[in-house]
Amino acid sequence: MATPPRTPAPAPDPDPARTRPHRVVVLALDGVIPFELGIAQRIFGRARGSADEPLYTVTTCGAVAPGPVATNADFAILVEHGPEALGEADTVVVPASYEIGSAFEDGTLPGDIASAFAHIRPGTRLVSICTGSFVLAAAGLLDGRPATTHWSSADHFQRLYPRVRVDPHVLFVDDGDVLTSAGVAAGIDLCLHIVRRDHGTAVANEVARGTLVPPFRDGGQAQYIARPLPEPRQAGTGAARAWALARLHEPITLRDMAEREAMSVRTFTRRFREEAGISLGQWLVHQRVERARQLLESTDLSIDRIARDAGFGTAQSLRAHLQAVLGVAPTAYRRTFRVNGGATEDARDTTAGNGSGATARTGVRTGTTPGGR
C-alpha cells in the first residue's frame, strides 16, 4: 500500500524580536528635566515602517514604583510603570536629572537606581541624555569607554570617573551598545542617529521632518558655539547653503559660497562658522556623506557613480570619507541598510571597513544589531 504523503511541518515562527516593535524604556528619576524626558517618545514614537507600522514602543517607568515623579520644573509627572519595565526593554534611555545624588557627588550609584538597573537584561542597549551619563558611569557601564555629557559638567565628570574616556566637545558618542549625548537638543540628535542606525536614513529623515528639526548633525559637531546666531540685521549664509545642497556633485569653493551672499571670503567664513558651528569644508563633507548614505540605501547605483553624485569624485575618496565618519565601507553600509543591495559592487569595499572602527571624535561604531552587546 502506498505511503500517504506527509503533511509538511509548519514553518517555524519568525523571530519575535524581528516582528515586534523595538521596545524603548525611559527611566524617569526624581528631578528629571521634562524636555529631556520627552525626547525618546517624540523621536522613537514617530518612527514608522513602510506599512505605516510603529517601529518602536516607548514606555516610561520610575526607579521605585508607579506614581508621581518630581521634575526640576513646577510640576510632577505621573508614571504608570515601575522599574520592572526595564526588564522588557531592548533599549533603556536615562535622561538628565538634577537629583541623582551620589552618582553626581561621589561616583557611587544610589541604592534605588541600582535596584532598578538590576532589572535590565544583558544585551540591552543603553542610552543617556545629558547628565544621565553620570548614572551609567556610576553603574560602571562606561569604564574604558568613550562618552560625553553636557560641556558644563564634563570636567567634574572626568574627575569623578577617571576610567571613562570623556570627550567634552562632541554632540554624542556611539560606542555600539552604549551611547551618550550632550545636553538638551543633542539628545534629539542622538535619538535620530539611533533611528538612522536601526532603520536607515529615509526613516530618520521622515521623523526629523515631522518633528521640524535638522535631519542630521554629525556626532562630532562641537557642543558649544560662542556666537550661534548672527547679529541683528547681519546677512546670513542660509541661501548659500541651500545653493550648495542643490549641487553637491559639483566642485564648490569658499569663494563660490561667499559670492552667493555678496560677502568677502573673510566675512563669509566668519559668519558661516557662527551659524553652523563648523567650517565650510567640514560641513560639505558631512552633507556629501549624508547624500552618499541616501544613495546607498535607496538605489542600485555603483560605488563609482555614487561617489560622483555625492561630490567625492572617486570611489577611493568616498570610501575614505565614509570610513572616517562612519567607520564602515560603502558596500558594508549598503548591506546593513538595504536588503539585496550592492551585489555587484567592488569587492574591495568589504575589506575597507568591517563596521568595528570608531572615529576619534565621535566614537561612532556601526554594524551592531539594535540592542545587541
Side-chain angles (χ1 to χ4, degrees):
M1 185 171 66
T3 302
R6 291 184 179 181
T7 303
D13 291 335
D15 181 358
R18 294 181 180 274
T19 58
R20 61 165 171 76
H22 185 96
R23 294 173 297 203
V24 177
V25 178
V26 184
L27 180 59
L29 302 172
D30 279 332
V32 68
I33 301 173
F35 184 95
E36 277 88 336
L37 178 65
I39 289 173
Q41 174 62 55
R42 188 63 177 171
I43 300 301
F44 296 119
R46 293 192 69 97
R48 317 291 289 190
S50 58
D52 199 38
E53 76 280 12
L55 297 175
Y56 302 87
T57 61
V58 183
T59 300
T60 303
C61 75
V64 179
V69 173
T71 72
N72 78 319
D74 62 344
F75 58 85
I77 59 170
L78 183 63
V79 175
E80 297 183 356
H81 302 275
E84 298 80 10
L86 295 170
E88 300 297 318
D90 300 310
T91 294
V92 169
V93 179
V94 183
S97 167
Y98 280 113
E99 297 181 19
I100 53 177
S102 59
F104 192 84
E105 295 161 3
D106 62 21
T108 60
L109 193 64
D112 57 342
I113 302 178
S115 297
F117 267 41
H119 291 281
I120 300 175
R121 298 171 300 161
T124 301
R125 182 167 57 189
L126 301 171
V127 176
S128 69
I129 298 176
C130 193
T131 53
S133 55
F134 280 77
V135 175
L136 299 187
L141 298 167
L142 298 181
D143 288 353
R145 290 180 177 264
T148 194
T149 191
H150 193 286
W151 61 267
S152 65
S153 299
D155 288 344
H156 177 57
F157 187 44
Q158 186 68 90
R159 286 193 300 270
L160 203 58
Y161 301 105
R163 297 183 64 185
V164 181
R165 305 203 310 269
V166 182
D167 188 337
H169 305 294
V170 299
L171 293 179
F172 59 81
V173 172
D174 177 346
D175 196 39
D177 59 335
V178 179
L179 303 92
T180 54
S181 75
V184 198
I188 298 176
D189 296 312
L190 177 55
C191 289
L192 281 172
H193 167 77
I194 292 171
V195 173
R196 186 181 299 109
R197 196 180 93 170
D198 289 352
H199 298 288
T201 300
V203 174
N205 285 356
E206 190 62 25
V207 172
R209 184 166 171 258
T211 315
L212 300 180
V213 296
F216 178 75
R217 286 202 299 171
D218 178 41
Q221 185 165 323
Q223 285 190 38
Y224 181 65
I225 304 170
R227 297 176 62 204
L229 297 174
E231 295 295 332
R233 291 183 295 277
Q234 284 187 346
T237 63
R241 277 180 279 156
W243 175 83
L245 287 173
R247 46 187 49 79
L248 288 174
H249 58 287
E250 301 176 1
I252 298 172
T253 68
L254 185 58
R255 185 170 298 280
D256 293 333
M257 298 281 281
E259 289 177 354
R260 302 300 301 180
E261 301 289 2
M263 296 180 189
S264 68
V265 169
R266 181 177 179 180
T267 298
F268 181 87
T269 300
R270 184 180 73 252
R271 298 270 174 82
F272 189 93
R273 185 175 284 276
E274 288 171 354
E275 294 178 16
I278 53 179
S279 70
L280 174 61
Q282 291 171 313
W283 182 84
L284 282 172
V285 168
H286 293 162
Q287 300 305 322
R288 284 171 167 152
V289 166
E290 184 67 6
R291 175 62 176 156
R293 291 168 71 156
Q294 293 170 353
L295 293 173
L296 286 166
E297 292 177 23
S298 61
T299 75
D300 290 317
L301 295 175
S302 70
I303 298 300
D304 287 327
R305 174 64 183 275
I306 289 174
R308 292 194 299 271
D309 287 356
F312 288 115
T314 67
Q316 182 178 4
S317 178
L318 171 61
R319 291 187 192 102
H321 283 94
L322 214 64
Q323 186 73 40
V325 175
L326 302 177
V328 67
T331 296
Y333 182 87
R334 172 176 269 171
R335 187 167 56 246
T336 300
F337 289 109
R338 189 162 188 265
V339 177
N340 296 327
T344 62
E345 302 303 337
D346 187 340
R348 288 174 298 172
D349 291 329
T350 62
T351 59
N354 60 10
S356 62
T359 66
R361 285 179 56 85
T362 68
V364 172
R365 296 179 187 271
T366 58
T368 53
T369 56
R373 254 183 204 168

